[in-house]
Amino acid sequence: MDHKQTIIKEYKNKFGHVFKYTSKDGKSCLLRNPDLKIIDACRTVSGGSSVKFDKALVDNCWLEGDEELRTNDEYTMGLFDWMGGIIKKVDGQLEEL
């Protein structure tokens, strides 16, 4: 799928980070990074299931793309492998005083 640069710029202005996932055979989608509300909702609906969590994360962060990435299990499982990369955070250190 061809994602227009003007649309990507609009998504970046609205959501901050935008990610493109491309399968080996060229199917692609755009995803936004989740905020805490999305992460919390995904944890709530997943009931501890990592598959349900990943599916909810894809559904809530999906901007556009080839629908087969969301509807075909083989494509969806490939996409799941990369979902951790869309969660942006600032790392730090904890020390006991």
Side-chain angles (χ1 to χ4, degrees), residues 2-91:
D2 182 34
H3 306 283
K4 305 246 184 274
Q5 290 302 313
T6 54
I7 298 295
I8 292 171
K9 185 176 180 181
E10 288 177 24
Y11 287 145
K12 283 184 175 184
N13 287 337
K14 186 172 183 179
F15 300 115
H17 300 279
V18 175
F19 303 88
K20 179 180 178 183
Y21 170 79
T22 306
S23 66
K24 284 188 176 185
D25 63 356
K27 296 185 186 317
S28 66
C29 66
L30 297 179
L31 303 158
R32 64 168 280 194
N33 64 307
D35 57 20
L36 287 176
K37 289 179 188 178
I38 290 174
I39 297 289
D40 186 47
C42 292
R43 285 189 174 153
T44 300
V45 300
S46 72
S49 166
S50 62
V51 172
K52 288 181 183 177
F53 178 87
D54 287 345
K55 179 70 173 136
L57 190 60
V58 168
D59 290 342
N60 282 281
C61 295
W62 185 272
L63 297 173
E64 66 177 56
D66 291 300
E67 286 295 321
E68 198 168 4
L69 294 172
R70 291 200 290 186
T71 59
N72 179 300
D73 287 350
E74 290 179 11
Y75 284 105
T76 304
M77 288 186 284
L79 176 56
F80 285 175
D81 288 344
W82 296 96
M83 291 307 292
I86 70 170
I87 299 172
K88 297 306 248 179
K89 60 184 179 177
V90 176
D91 289 325

